[in-house]
Amino acid sequence: MSSGHRAPDKPQRLSVWATAQQTGPVQRRGRYVPESVKHPARMLPAIAAHAIAAYTQPGELVLDPMCGIGTTLVEAIHAGRDAVGVEYEPRWSNIADANITHAHQQGATGRASVVRGDATRLASLLPAALAGQVALVVTSPPYGPTVHGLVRPGTDGVAKFDNTYGTDRGNLAYRDLTGLTDGFEQILTGCAALLRPGGTVVVTARPWRKNGQLVDLPSTVIAAGLRAGLVPTERCVALLAAVRDGHLVARPSFFQLQTVRKARTGGIPLHLITHEDVLIFRRPQALPTPEDLTDTEGGPSR
């Protein structure tokens, strides 16, 4: 019977992850190849590293089905885990490969590989031998046209560049919210089949505004996870702002700052984005069948 006291050898697991004590460029400097900065929606390395440390042990397998420049993979192999990534765009998968090579040159001990392809078809992309072997999935859905990329001042104002995932319109990033949700559900369904029973899925997501209306992507992700047969277990916060003397130090992009200033000038009390939602799911011991996910009248169960 538990006494109610935490074992002294186990660190306390907090729901707020202090993952931006250093800026993104500082976190990546020397650890990632310079071309990594060109991806328009990079995950903070500290977010991936925190998830890997919290939910896996050395030697276990980590998967990122939309790995981009390979942040999850790099942090996994530096932590002595093995990793597999899937990436749709050849440009980013090439950079992910380069980042893995760079990590090994720096002494990373884990093994990692990147598979090029459509993550909505994981079963046909990855070896059948991986089924039930993955301990942790760490990923994030694409934000499509809401990403801002990099900026450069010019004679005609501020120019935006490196602000798209690629030109292939088959990329999940270019679907509308309904299409994105359906695609992400397919990805999570594929991940569930690869996870070991009791394995964990960590998804970072945040809402955005479209035509002034809030698009609640985190809630959409939770619904997709449920339909994929996963069980939501935690909802945490990964800070995108530093904590200094009990206060948050925001690190907004140029466009975030500009949008908030314009909104406040117009009387709309917008605030800077200082965190991402971290949605955590667990794979049950037995995955539900399609019939389990359908009620007696043929509609989705709730």
Side-chain angles (χ1 to χ4, degrees), residues 224-274:
L226 285 167
R227 290 194 297 271
L230 299 169
V231 179
T233 58
E234 300 175 74
R235 187 164 182 167
C236 300
V237 163
L239 292 180
L240 303 175
V243 180
R244 299 282 187 267
D245 299 323
H247 298 278
L248 292 180
V249 180
R251 295 194 172 110
S253 70
F254 170 84
F255 289 100
Q256 289 172 354
L257 195 59
Q258 185 181 53
T259 298
V260 170
R261 284 173 173 168
K262 286 181 178 179
R264 290 188 174 185
T265 299
I268 301 173
L270 285 188
H271 295 273
L272 293 172
I273 297 172
T274 58

Side-chain angles (χ1 to χ4, degrees), residues 65 67 84-88 93 97 113-118 125-127:
C67 71
V84 175
V86 174
E87 174 51 41
Y88 187 84
S93 65
D97 282 333
S113 61
V114 180
V115 177
R116 296 179 180 90
D118 185 349
L125 285 179
L126 299 180

Side-chain angles (χ1 to χ4, degrees), residues 120-144:
T120 63
R121 300 181 176 91
L122 284 180
S124 62
L125 285 179
L126 299 180
L130 289 182
Q133 301 303 307
V134 174
L136 173 67
V137 173
V138 181
T139 198
S140 179
Y143 294 108

Side-chain angles (χ1 to χ4, degrees), residues 184-248:
F184 199 62
E185 179 186 338
Q186 290 176 289
I187 292 171
L188 291 179
T189 299
C191 289
L194 295 168
L195 279 168
R196 68 188 185 192
T200 303
V201 177
V202 172
V203 181
T204 64
R206 64 182 182 224
W208 72 82
R209 289 187 180 274
K210 182 177 181 180
N211 300 324
Q213 299 298 312
L214 190 68
V215 179
D216 188 2
L217 183 60
S219 293
T220 299
V221 168
I222 292 173
L226 285 167
R227 290 194 297 271
L230 299 169
V231 179
T233 58
E234 300 175 74
R235 187 164 182 167
C236 300
V237 163
L239 292 180
L240 303 175
V243 180
R244 299 282 187 267
D245 299 323
H247 298 278
L248 292 180

